[in-house]
């Protein structure tokens, strides 16, 4: 459908600039960053594509002789969250040698040597294994507005403070995904807030049962387990 451009400003990517476009009006208004990918090898021709709210990548890291990763991680629902990086050591060396795969504070580990979905099990694997094949996710939360009249068409896993999306069937969330492919909600994503209710999964579930408008805050996790 046609969109209205409200404003432009530079969005830096490598050595090029792309417009940062505010799109609207519509059911929701998003600030969407369009990245430029060079396709001629010299940075002269670019393909414009919308930046999604989550990016994932794989990394293989060996701990080395001392068995230390140099990465501070904490279990959080169905992922491990990176809370600190040592200035020297295995992780620092990996980041220096892999600029485009560098791991930053705030990133999420969504898979460790094939283990996914349970943060405690992932942490145990990360602590005991000498070589780690990990999948990382860099995520920014977004809001989704659903109109519910009957079944929501979603099953959830329940954590203490969040809900994890398990199955999506016919209903308001599927309709949202079809209308908003960049901001689609996927299995493994976390529901952080429902109509202002947060940090209490039981209250969030009760809020989801009520018909009417539902405003969700989603943490996309790029295919995390559930």
């Amino acid at each position: 459908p046609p969109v209205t451009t409200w404003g432009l400003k530079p969005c830096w990517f490598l050595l090029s600039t792309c417009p940062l476009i505010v799109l609207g009006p519509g059911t929701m208004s998003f600030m969407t960053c369009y990245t430029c990918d060079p396709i001629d090898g010299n940075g002269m021709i670019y393909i414009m594509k919308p930046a999604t709210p989550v990016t994932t990548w794989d990394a293989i890291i060996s701990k080395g002789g001392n068995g230390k990763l140099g990465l501070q991680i904490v279990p959080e629902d169905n992922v491990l969250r990176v809370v600190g990086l040592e200035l020297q050591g295995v992780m620092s060396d990996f980041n220096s040698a892999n600029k485009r795969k560098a791991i930053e504070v705030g990133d999420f580990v969504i898979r460790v040597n094939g283990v996914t979905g349970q943060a405690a099990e992932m942490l145990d694997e990360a602590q005991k294994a000498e070589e780690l094949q990990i999948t990382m996710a860099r995520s920014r939360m977004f809001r989704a507005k659903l109109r519910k009249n009957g079944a929501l068409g979603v099953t959830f896993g329940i954590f203490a403070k969040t809900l994890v999306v398990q199955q999506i069937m016919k209903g308001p969330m599927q309709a949202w995904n079809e209308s908003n492919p960049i901001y689609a909600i996927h299995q493994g994503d976390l529901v952080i807030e429902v109509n202002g209710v947060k940090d209490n999964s039981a209250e969030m579930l009760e809020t989801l049962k009520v018909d009417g408008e539902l405003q969700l805050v989603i943490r996309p996790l790029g295919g995390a387990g559930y």
Side-chain angles (χ1 to χ4, degrees), residues 130-147:
E130 291 298 317
E131 183 167 294
L132 302 177
Q133 298 186 30
I134 60 178
T135 301
M136 302 296 304
R138 185 166 297 154
S139 168
R140 55 187 172 86
M141 293 186 290
F142 63 89
R143 291 185 179 272
K145 182 188 293 186
L146 313 181
R147 174 64 64 174

Side-chain angles (χ1 to χ4, degrees), residues 54 164-166 168 173 177 181-190 218 220 222-223:
V54 61
V164 59
V165 177
Q166 292 185 330
I168 302 176
M173 189 172 288
N177 286 349
I182 296 175
Y183 292 91
I185 302 166
H186 297 286
Q187 292 173 324
D189 290 350
L190 292 177
I218 302 296

Side-chain angles (χ1 to χ4, degrees), residues 33 39 69-70 124 145 152:
C33 178
I39 60 173
L69 185 59
D124 181 63
K145 182 188 293 186
L152 185 61

Side-chain angles (χ1 to χ4, degrees), residues 28-51:
M28 293 289 286
S29 295
F30 296 106
M31 184 170 288
T32 302
C33 178
Y34 284 77
T35 61
C36 289
D37 285 347
I39 60 173
D40 69 342
N42 297 311
M44 299 300 292
I45 303 174
Y46 298 91
I47 298 174
M48 301 295 290
K49 65 178 183 180

